[in-house]
Amino acid sequence: MAVPPSAPVPCSLFYLRRQAPCPQCSWGMEEKAAASAGYWEPPGPPKAAVPCFSVAVDQDDILPGALRLIRELRPHWKPEQVRTKRFKDGITNKLVACYVEEDMRDCVLVRVYGERTELLVDRENEVRNFQLLRAHGCAPKLYCTFQNGLCYEYMQGVALGPEHIREPQLFSLSADVPKVEVLEQELSWLKEHLSQLESPVVFCHNDLLCKNIIYDSSKGHVRFIDYEYAGYNYQAFDIGNHFNEFAGVNEVDYCRYPAREVQLQWLRYYLEAQKGTAATPREVERLYAQVNKFALASHFFWALWALIQNQYSTISFDFLRYAVIRFNQYFRVKPQVLALEMPK
């Protein structure tokens, strides 16, 4: 079973067409009319008008015209304090940023259209699309238009180059992360289902990946290291989590997840070491069912952990990709786990 369909990317056409009518524009009525006619076109402009100034900015000397616009848009800025920054990556238009504070938190971008670009570009349609996308949270604020350009909000971030767009963390992997509503439902299900399995609560390591297990061949000892996640937990979670770690971390491959026969052998040794006596087949089968059910909780926990790490960690690791992998595996094996019967 694959990850359930998540919310469409907010700025996709599919997302826009599913929304309720926007109070700021005539989207709902136009969409219905277009749908009934069997075609779709971008809707008309929102009702809220964008200021239009009778200012023409000289392409070869942008600053004077830009400052005239800034006096209208930011009258509280002192002209002598206004800083400017020219962006030179564009090959159609000319763009300059105007700001006062060093962090550019409040910054106005002044874009001057290229000479005769209206022969190829429908500028009215551009403004209409700008307003539409802004109404749905997919574009910056449009402050005004002027005779040969427009002013809009500066968006914090880095403009990508060819060396960046190949990086996996920049793909639209977030679309593969289940919606919050789905995660809440799964969490409730896990709590209800796993709490009924009667797995004993013991002191657990909770992070038994391979590198946290040290084997001393001269003494025949196995010891655990790194106890930052250690604490009381369900016995079956610790074992299920350990089995999940067979797949690895950097190069995850769940073909390495231990087969049933290997697990049964492992679990029999575990129970015999715990009890000091032979384990019955029923005891081994019961622990097998508990462990594989709790392995779901392990996938869920580390997927959420990876999402948090993706937001805040400075470590060079593709946490978002790892979260998607764990969520995918959770939903893939869930039907198989549900089919496991607990021996009476």
Side-chain angles (χ1 to χ4, degrees), residues 24-27 30 41-47 128-129 131-132:
Q24 303 178 36
C25 64
S26 56
W27 170 263
E30 292 199 22
E41 291 182 355
K47 295 178 181 179
R128 182 173 58 188
N129 291 337
Q131 293 175 281
L132 168 68

Side-chain angles (χ1 to χ4, degrees), residues 252-264:
V252 183
D253 182 3
Y254 283 104
C255 291
R256 296 195 288 256
Y257 186 80
R260 171 181 164 84
E261 294 73 19
V262 176
Q263 289 193 48
L264 293 177

Side-chain angles (χ1 to χ4, degrees), residues 133-155:
L133 293 172
R134 172 60 188 175
H136 291 276
C138 301
K141 296 177 183 178
L142 179 59
Y143 294 132
C144 75
T145 63
F146 51 94
Q147 289 185 15
N148 60 331
L150 47 81
C151 298
Y152 57 97
E153 177 187 18
Y154 174 74
M155 297 182 70

